[in-house]
Amino acid sequence: MNIEEFREYCLSLKGVHEKMPFPNVADKYSRDVLCFYVADKWFCFVNIEVFDFCCIKCNPDESGDLQGQYAGITPGWHMNKKYWISVYFNQDVPDNKIKELVKKSYEIVVESLTKKEREMLLQQE
């Protein structure tokens, strides 16, 4: 999977938009981070230049199992390690599993939205 395919997949989820929220930070790696949002909450981010891993939300009950099963899944980089994982590309995590985990992250965030936000999401085309 490459950045274009990954980005296209994330944007295919209902109501998703993207933004590079750190244009003025000193760290180049962070400046190149692209975040994917549903409503105003992010569910995934990735560095568009290096494209080494994505960081996604994860159910805390599944996080440990995933990290035990895959060397390419580690605690979330710069995020709450209980709720976020980093999933490395081109390691032992298959692309279809990465997409499945991204979709789960999206669903976790959608479930956390207010009723009004979820209703607005359903109305989007």
Side-chain angles (χ1 to χ4, degrees):
M1 182 164 21
N2 61 39
I3 183 60
E4 290 84 13
E5 293 167 327
F6 184 79
R7 181 176 169 263
E8 187 177 299
Y9 176 74
C10 291
L11 292 173
S12 75
L13 302 171
K14 192 171 187 81
V16 171
H17 63 282
E18 62 187 350
K19 182 167 67 171
M20 294 182 76
F22 310 115
N24 300 318
V25 297
D27 173 41
K28 175 157 176 34
Y29 191 94
S30 296
R31 282 195 307 269
D32 292 335
V33 165
L34 177 65
C35 295
F36 296 94
Y37 297 78
V38 59
D40 64 345
K41 297 181 182 215
W42 51 352
F43 66 92
C44 176
F45 67 85
V46 63
N47 181 293
I48 61 170
E49 293 299 326
V50 179
F51 194 63
D52 49 352
F53 69 91
C54 62
C55 197
I56 55 178
K57 289 200 92 157
C58 185
N59 180 322
D61 297 332
E62 296 176 28
S63 179
D65 290 342
L66 289 167
Q67 291 176 56
Q69 189 175 0
Y70 297 101
I73 298 180
T74 62
W77 178 73
H78 278 301
M79 301 300 282
N80 183 321
K81 309 295 187 237
K82 182 176 179 182
Y83 298 103
W84 289 81
I85 56 175
S86 292
V87 181
Y88 286 80
F89 303 107
N90 302 314
Q91 287 195 15
D92 64 336
V93 187
D95 288 354
N96 62 340
K97 184 66 174 181
I98 293 172
K99 288 179 179 179
E100 175 190 320
L101 293 171
V102 168
K103 184 156 195 224
K104 281 185 179 182
S105 176
Y106 167 85
E107 290 167 350
I108 289 168
V109 172
V110 168
E111 288 173 12
S112 76
L113 298 175
T114 66
K115 182 178 178 183
K116 183 177 181 179
E117 288 172 324
R118 283 193 307 273
E119 287 170 356
M120 288 176 59
L121 183 63
L122 291 172
Q123 294 172 3
Q124 294 180 11
E125 290 187 20

